[in-house]
Amino acid sequence: MILLASRSPQRRALLGALGIPFRVVASGVPEGGDALANARAKAREVARRSGIPAGGVVLGADTEVVLDGRALGKPADAAEARAMLEALAGREHTVETAVVLVTPGGEREIRDATTVRVRPLGPEALDWYVATGEWRDRAGGYAIQGRGAALVEGIDGDYTTVVGLPVAALVGLLEELGLPLWGT
């Protein structure tokens, strides 16, 4: 059993699609700093408050969009979302997702990075996407799994890392820990 220390519907959807048993226990930790620090703080806070399930783990995760060495964060409003998208347009950036698992025996962590190429975006495309509101609560101001897919020209790496949970890396780590995954 996994306790997911995240409110992210994308992370819930990815775990649900895998059929891995989990329960959401959202963390009350404010985000700040880098993705690994955020993931660690979320997992530790939920483990301290709710305990670690028998034979399971607490999973904390966080995603950041990095352009020219600077994390963009989540836009505060539509103007900031548009500015982020304008900065990303026609360029490559990195999306990094960090995962921390708190187990009875300690902590394990992984970081996975994917390069995303955003196509050149004109004023109409920017106006359209910002008007969707999909940018809200999204690192970098877009969601690749939604309408934001129309903004992306291509990726090099794991698509699920961009969505918010690097599935292949996570499954490998869960297998290393000997947690039952298949047929559950």
Side-chain angles (χ1 to χ4, degrees), residues 108-133:
R108 300 287 301 272
E109 56 190 47
I110 52 175
R111 292 179 97 138
D112 196 62
T114 295
T115 300
V116 178
R117 290 179 305 284
V118 175
R119 60 185 196 80
L121 303 172
E124 294 88 11
L126 289 165
D127 290 344
W128 165 77
Y129 190 72
V130 171
T132 69

Side-chain angles (χ1 to χ4, degrees), residues 1-5 25 27 29 36-61 98-110 170 173-174 177 179:
M1 166 67 79
I2 292 175
L3 287 186
L4 177 60
V25 180
S27 162
V29 173
L36 184 57
N38 290 335
R40 191 179 293 127
K42 291 175 187 179
R44 287 176 179 172
E45 190 270 335
V46 168
R48 185 176 57 255
R49 183 169 34 97
S50 300
I52 301 168
V57 299
V58 176
L59 186 160
V99 173
V100 174
L101 300 179
V102 177
T103 73
E107 295 180 8
R108 300 287 301 272
E109 56 190 47
I110 52 175
L170 173 62
L173 189 53
L174 293 171
L177 292 170
L179 293 174

